[in-house]
Amino acid sequence: MMHRPASSASSFGHDVSRFSLSRDLLPREALVAGLAFMEGALAGSFDRDGLCAWFDELLRAFDAETPASVRETDTESAPLRLPPRRDHHAAEGMLAQVVEAARAKVASALRGLQGLEPREDFVAVAVAAGWVQQRETWSEGRKAWAPVIDSRQSLSTVVLSLFAADYLNHLEQYARDFRVCPDCGRPSFDRQAPAACACQTHGHFWASPARSTDAPSPMEAAIREAKRAVKALARTAA
């Protein structure tokens, strides 16, 4: 087990300012982005526009640039910015493979953080590789861990760096409350949920009914669900 430090688009098609982080979410922006990825990946929300929006709107706090393509070690790179005459259908299929491979890797790694004796392998790798670094916070003038995102990283590395930074800043909360559903891989912080299934939204959140033009898109819904979860977490910790 690693030595634990002290806790310390494009657009969504409409007004993207609606999805900026409010002041009460700023201390956990990495967690919001990480949860939103897992929500969106499970909901099948990540077409090219959706993933670009995730980079552009939720990772800009970390000075991240939206990459031209995303990849995993066992998949082909999937382009996010397509040149004219490129086969869009094939590109979307490649992207779906990359997103699912990344989601599965992240879920597998996050399962190790459950309980009082977590397996912190990916956190140790993130620290050693410089995927997370300590920085001075603007609000309190203290050191906190933050992700360091590089467009050359695999998609799962980007997402895991978000969770690693939040984990290092909130060790006790993860030990006490963190769960990963063994069925769908959805992470949550519901201490009341049985370990067998911390996911409370099977058959509800992931449904894709027809929606009006004013209803949120699946990607928008994923962002909102992530923000709701983090706000609830803040109330619990208060």
Side-chain angles (χ1 to χ4, degrees):
M1 184 180 297
M2 65 175 284
H3 172 69
R4 295 189 178 190
S7 292
S8 44
S10 324
S11 76
F12 291 104
H14 300 289
D15 177 14
V16 298
S17 64
R18 291 182 299 157
F19 304 97
S20 60
L21 297 182
S22 59
R23 191 177 186 85
D24 59 334
L25 291 177
L26 284 174
R28 306 294 290 270
E29 64 263 33
L31 179 60
V32 171
L35 290 176
F37 176 84
M38 297 301 283
E39 298 277 7
L42 280 166
S45 305
F46 283 126
D47 56 12
R48 287 180 297 110
D49 288 341
L51 194 56
C52 284
W54 180 75
F55 272 100
D56 291 346
E57 300 306 316
L58 293 187
L59 301 192
R60 62 182 174 184
F62 312 113
D63 299 322
E65 296 182 358
T66 301
S69 62
V70 290
R71 65 176 179 81
E72 282 301 315
T73 55
D74 51 356
T75 67
E76 293 185 56
S77 294
L80 294 183
R81 314 290 190 190
L82 287 181
R85 300 189 184 88
R86 182 66 186 265
D87 186 343
H88 286 233
H89 180 73
E92 292 291 359
M94 292 165 59
L95 180 61
Q97 292 179 21
V98 171
V99 169
E100 174 54 24
R103 185 206 63 79
K105 288 181 182 179
V106 171
S108 177
L110 291 181
R111 288 190 179 99
L113 296 185
Q114 300 175 105
L116 297 177
E117 296 185 1
R119 300 191 309 276
E120 300 168 317
D121 302 23
F122 85 86
V123 180
V125 170
V127 172
W131 298 337
V132 293
Q133 293 179 355
Q134 282 192 309
R135 296 176 178 174
E136 188 171 302
T137 61
W138 62 270
S139 57
E140 301 176 14
R142 64 180 180 85
K143 293 287 187 178
W145 290 91
V148 178
I149 296 172
D150 188 309
S151 60
R152 294 167 295 182
Q153 294 169 334
S154 67
L155 184 56
S156 60
T157 294
V158 171
V159 180
L160 285 173
S161 71
L162 298 167
F163 281 106
D166 190 71
Y167 173 77
L168 289 167
N169 290 327
H170 302 280
L171 294 170
E172 294 85 356
Q173 201 165 56
Y174 276 78
R176 184 180 66 241
D177 300 332
F178 189 64
R179 302 286 186 274
V180 178
C181 176
D183 295 323
C184 71
R186 179 176 185 260
S188 70
F189 289 84
D190 185 358
R191 74 175 78 178
Q192 303 300 325
C197 186
C199 179
Q200 298 299 302
T201 54
H202 289 305
H204 163 61
F205 185 74
W206 310 126
S208 300
R211 60 188 182 88
S212 70
T213 55
D214 293 331
S217 69
M219 188 64 241
E220 292 168 353
I223 299 293
R224 292 179 183 181
E225 175 65 13
K227 290 182 179 182
R228 182 205 61 76
V230 175
K231 284 182 177 178
L233 192 59
R235 289 195 296 269
T236 300

